[in-house]
Amino acid sequence: LNATTSLKIPGSAARAALMVDDLQELIFPHLFALDTNGQPLKGQNDLTNLAATCRAFLEVALDVLWRRVNFGRLIQVWKARGVVAQRDSDDPREMGFERSPTVEDWQRFEYYARRVRHMRLDCLPVKTRFSNDFATAVLERSMHPRLQVDQSPPLPLFYKMNSLELESADAESEVCAYVAVINESPGLHSFAVWNTS
């Protein structure tokens, strides 16, 4: 062995260690800080860059980025696909369905929803039928045959979610979406409701 070869061995070992998902799961959250509302303070760009830079980092980085979300952030996935659109206002709560989600739309939504561990549901559109339309879409999703070989029903949307916060000034008008999210969260063990009226 020469000096060059012996210097490469530790680098190779370090690279191999960084490819272990368990180690990534311990390291990556330290790159990402949240405020008390679960919104990013710092590190979102770092994790996004990690996810975009290396396939080996993608899944763990996305898991950390989507671990704690606001419902509105999840709905942005559909906004980007044209399923929902902004209505006559700059208020992010003024959003409505443009069309029913396709199987591909649901697959993209599920790709992120499966990562959610904690969600804050405080931003439902208030002047639209969004709550009812979302609940209807979730119900239709569970009844449609999937593009799976065994035609099995889909997994619950939020099967890893264990904590949910609901914040509402008008819980009665939003109850459909709340029930849809709760029904799609079999591991839910922490539930808080805040009335802001």
Side-chain angles (χ1 to χ4, degrees):
L1 287 176
N2 61 33
T4 308
T5 307
S6 64
L7 290 175
K8 288 184 179 179
I9 293 171
S12 297
R15 275 192 298 279
L18 278 176
M19 297 301 124
V20 176
D21 287 352
D22 292 340
L23 290 177
Q24 292 175 11
E25 289 173 12
L26 292 171
I27 295 168
F28 290 1
H30 295 286
L31 301 173
F32 192 63
L34 301 171
D35 67 14
T36 56
N37 292 323
Q39 301 303 312
L41 285 174
K42 65 173 187 167
Q44 184 168 3
N45 288 339
D46 295 337
L47 281 171
T48 303
N49 290 338
L50 274 174
T53 302
C54 178
R55 273 193 210 145
F57 295 160
L58 176 67
E59 292 300 315
V60 176
L62 287 176
D63 284 347
V64 173
L65 283 167
W66 286 87
R67 186 171 287 156
R68 294 179 61 86
V69 299
N70 182 299
F71 185 68
R73 183 171 172 212
L74 199 52
I75 293 303
Q76 293 299 317
V77 171
W78 275 349
K79 185 176 180 185
R81 298 180 66 83
V83 176
V84 297
Q86 196 75 29
R87 297 295 186 212
D88 304 320
S89 165
D90 290 333
D91 186 342
R93 296 176 299 165
E94 300 302 323
M95 206 170 287
F97 276 80
E98 293 292 303
R99 61 180 175 81
S100 295
T102 64
V103 170
E104 292 80 16
D105 295 327
W106 275 115
Q107 287 171 339
R108 178 53 54 186
F109 189 89
E110 292 165 1
Y111 181 73
Y112 296 103
R114 72 174 190 221
R115 302 169 189 285
V116 175
R117 300 292 200 299
H118 173 88
M119 184 164 41
R120 187 178 181 109
L121 229 164
D122 64 349
C123 59
L124 287 177
V126 291
K127 294 182 181 172
T128 66
R129 294 183 27 88
F130 188 87
S131 181
N132 288 340
D133 291 346
F134 177 76
T136 300
V138 170
L139 181 61
E140 288 172 351
R141 170 189 171 267
S142 66
M143 295 185 325
H144 284 151
R146 305 292 286 171
L147 296 177
Q148 297 175 5
V149 176
D150 63 358
Q151 296 294 310
S152 62
L155 286 172
L157 281 173
F158 306 105
Y159 65 90
K160 291 183 180 177
M161 186 164 64
N162 54 40
S163 175
L164 177 64
E165 291 181 41
L166 304 178
E167 185 175 325
S168 176
D170 186 12
E172 289 179 22
S173 69
E174 300 165 354
V175 73
C176 292
Y178 294 163
V179 169
V181 169
I182 292 167
N183 283 341
E184 293 289 325
S185 309
L188 194 63
H189 64 77
S190 174
F191 181 71
V193 180
W194 310 98
N195 188 339
T196 59
S197 59

